[in-house]
Structures are given as structure tokens and as C-alpha cells.
Amino acid sequence: MGDNVVLARNTDLAPKSDLSSQTVAFSHYNNISAQLPIDPATGELVEGGIAEQAVQCFENLEAIVDSIDHSLNDVVRLTIFVRDIQDVDAIDAVFTEFFPTYVPARTVVAVAALPMDADMQIEALLTNGEGTIPNEPQAGDLIKLTNNTHAAPISPLSTQTVAFSHYNNLTAQLPIDPKTGRFVVGGVKEQTAQCLKNIKAILESIDVPFDDIVKVTIFLQDLSDLDAVNEVYSTFFPDSAIARAVAYVPARTVVEVAALPMGALVQIEAVASHGDGTPPQEIEARHGLIIEAVNTDAAPRDPLATQSVAFSHYNNISAQLGIDPATGAMAAGVKEQTAQALQNIKAIIESVDHVMEDVVKVNIYVLDLADMDAVNEAYLTFFPGGVPARRVTGVSTLPGDAKVQIEAIVGNYEGTPPIA
């Protein structure tokens, strides 16, 4: 559908920023900017401890969702970033007040730092059943499909997979053996294998092939473990003969975190295509859609990640560092690295005949949050209107000793074609 538009919206009932929109809808999803525990009336962090901060974060999220005539039951994925992993229990007590019955897919990680020295922030992905074709509701009665299987770890605080329209959103998987409820024995290799086995089991439970995964995010407690993780990762991707024939691997982001739930060494999040859609989509609109995986020499290549993976109305872009693809060298300072990372994203987007105005969400991982003024200076040259939804997190290490890493989600108005 060439008529889908990027729809950015803001409400005075939640904190505003000149650098991002609170919610950016495209087709059947709303991308919500990460919410800090800021009181929108004062622009300051709410007073109190982690419980008060959690309430404010969820209230900000709810205000945004309400402002576009949706509800928290329309959240398909919730991501919680904390400074101290020990705070999660207190956050969960607040979480259950806002999600008393239905629980979305979920990811929880502790990071090195958060903007304004907050103790937590949350972000959400929301359904948008009415779509974004102006004055023409697409399918307001689309339903959300939730699934759990005993072949993977079950939690009362999350749903293993939540499908809406053409995407399955999976809860981030820890290295838990579902038979014992305990961590698998061994080190990071064994933990990586268990995380991926859990993802595979969830997908198999809903008849989705492993090679239908379009984006993977790997959260590592120690980035120096990445070689060991990649050794295992390469045994899972590509998974099928068809995927091996074209060397298909999903888009990917690797993030070092301060801590993971239960002291895990690794946690893996996946987003998978959902070719048959969720009912009652029309038959011709939901069968035979294909994954379009594209790489360009105008941006750095990685044998373990595809630069852009499109399915239906979204392009998923692998995280980009400030590496010049012509030389393979990292740009010097943080401002230059930001510009180069965004130039790489721009080159990838343009290689699939899109433009930066199609970007709906940007995630920025920065080594030092004190550098954000320099990051933002470069950022505004690429996004002068501050339209995309956005998330910023501080990390202690990035691949290649980079100072910044950026990933993006892009609208794909033409959709992906059916199999001929």
C-alpha cells in the first residue's frame, strides 16, 4: 500500500522532546519513545525511589497511549531498562498494577547509565489496528494473538510471543532449561545455545520457521564473550537449506549490559515475520509475503547480520557503528562517529529506495551520556524535525571500542511482495 504515512504525535500529558516524537505510527504499529520517570508538569524526575519512578514511567506511557485512543492492552512488547537489576522486583509490583491480566512480550536489562541519571526507563511497541492510510481505516478489527508453550520458559509477567498483523514479537529469552526451570549447565556458549533453542521452540509452537526471524538483539554481560556467542549463533543461522542457499541471516544488534535477570551471561530477543497475518486480514493481503534481505557496499558489511531486512511494511536495520565503509576505519570523535553511523543507515535505507523521512524509530547506545550534546548535534542534521521515536541508553563498552552505536526501524510503504 503506497498510501501509508508516517504519523508522529505528541501529548502535553507526557514529557515532550525537540529530538523525538512520543509516538510514531506506521501501518499497523505505533513505536513509542522510551519514557523516563519525568513529571510532565515540571520536566523534572519525579521525587522518590524506584517505585515512584516506575509509576511515573508507566503513567507517561499510559498518557501517550490514551492520547491516540488506544489502551495498554494494545502493547505487544514492553522493554524495561534499569540501573540496578535488583530493582526489578519493585518495578514488577508496579507493572502488575498497569497490566493486571494481559501481559505483553517483555525484555528486562540493566544498563550502565540512563538519561538524567534516572534509575529506569521503559519503552513500548503498540498495535495500530486502524493503520495509517489517511481517512481510510485499514483493518480496525485485527486481533492480537498471544501464545505460550511449555517447550520454553513460562513467566506470569510476560507472554512468550505476541503477534499482530505481520509480526511476531518474542519475549527476550534467558538460558533457562524449560524442563528444570534452571539455567543450563555451562558457560556462555551453552547459555547462548539454550536461549536460541527457547526461541526456536516458541516459533515452532506457532508453526513459524526459525528463518522467519527478521531481527535479533543479543544482550551480553561481557562483550569479550561475543566470539564464543557467534560460534554458537552461526550453528543456528541460517537454519534451512533455502536460507543457507542465499546465506540469509537476520538484522542484528549486539549490546553489552550491566546485568541480566538471574545473573545470566546472555539474553536474546527476536522479532519474526508472520506471513499469514492475524485475522481477519484479507487472504490476498496476508499470504505468500517474502522477506527481503539487502546489503550494500555503501555501508559496512557483517557476515553475521543483514544490513536491512524488510517484511510487510517495516524495514529492520542492523545497528551501525561509526565505521567508514570505504576504509573500514572508525571515525575519530563521538560527533563524527554519530554522523558516520547515521550516514551508514542513510546509505542502507537509500539502497532499498527509501529515505530518512521513512525512519520511525531510532535507538542510540552511547559510551558516555555526557557526549549526548555532541551526538544530538550530529543527529539533528539527519533528523531536523525530531520525528522518529527514540531511545537513548548508556553502555560501558561497544564493539570496536566505538563511542556510539545506532539502530533504526523504517517504514516500508510498498510492503514486500508475495512469492511469485
Side-chain angles (χ1 to χ4, degrees):
M1 299 289 283
D3 294 328
N4 272 309
V5 298
V6 174
L7 180 59
R9 287 170 288 186
N10 293 283
T11 173
D12 291 331
L13 299 178
K16 287 185 174 182
S17 170
D18 293 334
L19 295 163
S20 63
S21 297
Q22 292 167 349
T23 174
V24 180
F26 188 84
S27 188
H28 290 312
Y29 278 96
N30 286 289
N31 301 269
I32 311 291
S33 286
Q35 294 300 301
L36 291 163
I38 296 172
D39 181 343
T42 65
E44 303 292 335
L45 290 181
V46 67
E47 294 182 358
I50 191 64
E52 289 78 12
Q53 290 200 17
V55 168
Q56 188 65 60
C57 286
F58 283 109
E59 286 183 347
N60 290 342
L61 173 61
E62 189 170 41
I64 294 167
V65 170
D66 286 347
S67 74
I68 55 174
D69 298 321
H70 281 263
S71 73
L72 290 180
N73 278 342
D74 294 329
V75 173
V76 294
R77 178 190 293 285
L78 188 76
T79 307
I80 301 174
F81 298 91
V82 296
R83 289 283 306 280
D84 186 347
I85 202 70
Q86 300 300 321
D87 284 340
V88 173
D89 286 347
I91 294 169
D92 286 344
V94 176
F95 168 83
T96 56
E97 294 177 11
F98 286 85
F99 294 90
T101 51
Y102 161 73
V103 287
R106 198 170 88 144
T107 299
V108 177
V109 297
V111 292
L114 290 168
M116 297 180 68
D117 204 27
D119 291 325
M120 67 170 294
Q121 73 175 0
I122 60 171
E123 70 172 16
L125 180 65
L126 192 75
T127 65
N128 191 49
E130 65 274 22
T132 57
I133 294 178
N135 305 314
E136 186 182 341
Q138 289 170 263
D141 52 355
L142 284 176
I143 64 171
K144 182 174 76 240
L145 297 177
T146 60
N147 285 283
N148 290 290
T149 173
H150 288 290
I154 292 177
S155 169
L157 296 172
S158 64
T159 300
Q160 289 172 349
T161 178
V162 182
F164 188 82
S165 187
H166 289 136
Y167 276 89
N168 285 291
N169 301 273
L170 274 64
T171 286
Q173 291 301 299
L174 291 165
I176 297 172
D177 182 340
K179 294 179 181 177
T180 65
R182 299 177 181 177
F183 275 179
V184 66
V185 175
V188 71
K189 283 187 178 181
E190 291 78 10
Q191 290 198 13
T192 301
Q194 188 64 56
C195 290
L196 291 168
K197 286 176 184 176
N198 291 343
I199 290 170
K200 194 167 190 177
I202 293 167
L203 292 176
E204 287 177 346
S205 75
I206 55 173
D207 298 321
V208 173
F210 199 66
D211 282 319
D212 280 358
I213 293 173
V214 296
K215 177 70 190 295
V216 169
T217 303
I218 300 173
F219 299 101
L220 269 176
Q221 197 169 43
D222 187 343
L223 198 59
S224 67
D225 284 336
L226 184 56
D227 286 345
V229 169
N230 285 339
E231 186 178 337
V232 177
Y233 188 85
S234 298
T235 67
F236 282 81
F237 296 101
D239 184 60
S240 66
I242 294 174
R244 286 192 292 273
V246 296
Y248 171 70
V249 288
R252 193 171 87 149
T253 297
V254 177
V255 182
E256 182 178 276
V257 294
L260 290 166
M262 299 174 65
L265 301 176
V266 61
Q267 177 176 252
I268 302 179
E269 177 186 279
V271 178
S273 62
H274 188 60
D276 51 347
T278 54
Q281 289 184 340
E282 297 176 0
I283 298 298
E284 62 269 21
R286 62 191 174 102
H287 280 296
L289 293 179
I290 63 171
I291 290 172
E292 291 186 326
V294 175
N295 289 292
T296 173
D297 289 331
R301 288 177 176 255
D302 180 349
L304 294 175
T306 299
Q307 292 167 350
S308 171
V309 180
F311 187 81
S312 187
H313 288 135
Y314 276 92
N315 281 296
N316 301 270
I317 309 296
S318 288
Q320 296 298 306
L321 299 169
I323 296 173
D324 182 340
T327 65
M330 186 79 69
V334 68
K335 182 179 176 182
E336 294 79 9
Q337 287 190 23
T338 301
Q340 184 63 62
L342 289 168
Q343 180 57 46
N344 292 341
I345 289 172
K346 186 172 187 282
I348 294 167
I349 291 172
E350 290 177 347
S351 76
V352 291
D353 298 323
H354 280 263
V355 294
M356 292 293 271
E357 287 78 10
D358 293 328
V359 174
V360 295
K361 178 76 188 299
V362 173
N363 296 329
I364 300 174
Y365 303 94
V366 64
L367 202 61
D368 187 348
L369 285 176
D371 287 336
M372 280 309 298
D373 285 346
V375 170
N376 288 335
E377 189 175 343
Y379 182 87
L380 283 171
T381 66
F382 288 84
F383 299 106
V387 166
R390 198 170 87 145
R391 178 229 295 164
V392 175
T393 51
V395 294
S396 57
T397 308
L398 285 167
D401 294 323
K403 298 178 185 298
V404 65
Q405 176 176 259
I406 304 175
E407 63 181 353
I409 301 171
V410 185
N412 187 45
Y413 60 82
E414 71 273 21
T416 53
I419 298 170

